[in-house]
Protein backbone atom coordinates (compact mmCIF):
# COMPACT_ATOMS: atom_id res chain seq x y z
CA UNK A 1 0.00 0.00 0.00
CA UNK A 2 2.79 2.39 0.84
CA UNK A 3 4.48 1.93 -2.54
CA UNK A 4 1.37 2.62 -4.64
CA UNK A 5 0.50 5.70 -2.57
CA UNK A 6 4.00 7.19 -2.43
CA UNK A 7 4.06 10.79 -3.59
CA UNK A 8 0.34 10.94 -4.39
CA UNK A 9 -1.95 13.67 -3.07
CA UNK A 10 -5.35 12.25 -2.17
CA UNK A 11 -7.80 14.81 -3.50
CA UNK A 12 -10.67 12.40 -4.17
CA UNK A 13 -11.98 9.05 -3.00
CA UNK A 14 -11.74 7.78 -6.58
CA UNK A 15 -7.96 8.32 -6.63
CA UNK A 16 -7.53 6.35 -3.40
CA UNK A 17 -9.82 3.56 -4.62
CA UNK A 18 -7.95 3.32 -7.96
CA UNK A 19 -4.57 3.21 -6.21
CA UNK A 20 -5.72 0.48 -3.84
CA UNK A 21 -6.95 -1.56 -6.83
CA UNK A 22 -3.43 -1.42 -8.34
CA UNK A 23 -1.76 -2.78 -5.21
CA UNK A 24 -0.70 -6.41 -5.02
CA UNK A 25 1.77 -8.50 -3.06
CA UNK A 26 4.82 -10.19 -4.56
CA UNK A 27 2.83 -13.46 -4.51
CA UNK A 28 0.00 -11.91 -6.53
CA UNK A 29 -2.60 -11.19 -3.84
CA UNK A 30 -4.72 -8.20 -4.84
CA UNK A 31 -6.61 -5.59 -2.82
CA UNK A 32 -10.39 -5.36 -2.86
CA UNK A 33 -11.94 -2.05 -1.80
CA UNK A 34 -15.41 -0.91 -0.86
CA UNK A 35 -16.34 2.71 -0.26
CA UNK A 36 -18.94 3.26 2.45
CA UNK A 37 -20.55 6.58 1.65
CA UNK A 38 -23.51 6.58 4.00
CA UNK A 39 -23.79 9.00 6.91
CA UNK A 40 -23.68 7.40 10.34
CA UNK A 41 -25.51 8.87 13.32
CA UNK A 42 -23.35 10.00 16.22
CA UNK A 43 -24.07 10.50 19.87
CA UNK A 44 -25.81 7.17 20.54
CA UNK A 45 -25.24 5.90 24.05
CA UNK A 46 -25.30 2.27 25.15
CA UNK A 47 -26.68 1.10 28.48
CA UNK A 48 -24.36 0.11 31.33
CA UNK A 49 -25.79 -3.42 31.18
CA UNK A 50 -24.78 -3.68 27.53
CA UNK A 51 -21.23 -2.52 28.33
CA UNK A 52 -20.95 -4.95 31.24
CA UNK A 53 -21.94 -7.97 29.11
CA UNK A 54 -19.84 -7.02 26.08
CA UNK A 55 -17.00 -9.49 25.50
CA UNK A 56 -13.82 -7.91 24.13
CA UNK A 57 -11.42 -10.34 22.42
CA UNK A 58 -7.94 -8.91 21.86
CA UNK A 59 -5.64 -9.99 19.03
CA UNK A 60 -2.57 -12.00 20.09
CA UNK A 61 -0.16 -10.10 17.84
CA UNK A 62 -1.36 -6.46 18.12
CA UNK A 63 -3.89 -6.30 20.96
CA UNK A 64 -3.74 -2.50 21.24
CA UNK A 65 -4.89 -2.13 17.60
CA UNK A 66 -6.91 -5.25 16.79
CA UNK A 67 -9.82 -6.42 18.89
CA UNK A 68 -13.36 -7.69 18.44
CA UNK A 69 -16.36 -6.63 20.51
CA UNK A 70 -18.89 -9.43 20.83
CA UNK A 71 -22.24 -8.43 22.37
CA UNK A 72 -24.13 -11.15 24.22
CA UNK A 73 -27.32 -12.07 22.42
CA UNK A 74 -30.34 -12.25 24.69
Amino acid sequence: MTRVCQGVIFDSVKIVKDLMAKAKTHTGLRVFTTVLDQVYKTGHQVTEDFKQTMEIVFDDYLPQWHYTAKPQMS
Side-chain angles (χ1 to χ4, degrees):
M1 304 312 289
T2 303
R3 274 181 282 150
V4 297
C5 296
Q6 226 167 13
V8 178
I9 297 173
F10 299 148
D11 60 359
S12 74
V13 173
K14 183 181 179 339
I15 288 175
V16 176
K17 186 171 170 50
D18 292 346
L19 285 171
M20 297 301 116
K22 289 180 185 177
K24 66 179 180 179
T25 66
H26 66 277
T27 58
L29 295 175
R30 301 203 61 91
V31 174
F32 172 78
T33 60
T34 302
V35 176
L36 302 174
D37 59 356
Q38 69 188 50
V39 176
Y40 292 91
K41 294 180 183 178
T42 60
H44 287 267
Q45 300 293 319
V46 297
T47 64
E48 276 304 313
D49 182 51
F50 183 81
K51 287 194 271 185
Q52 296 300 320
T53 60
M54 176 74 70
E55 179 186 4
I56 306 293
V57 180
F58 293 95
D59 181 72
D60 292 333
Y61 186 68
L62 290 171
Q64 71 274 24
W65 289 349
H66 300 283
Y67 58 89
T68 305
K70 297 181 176 182
Q72 299 295 319
M73 299 295 166
S74 47

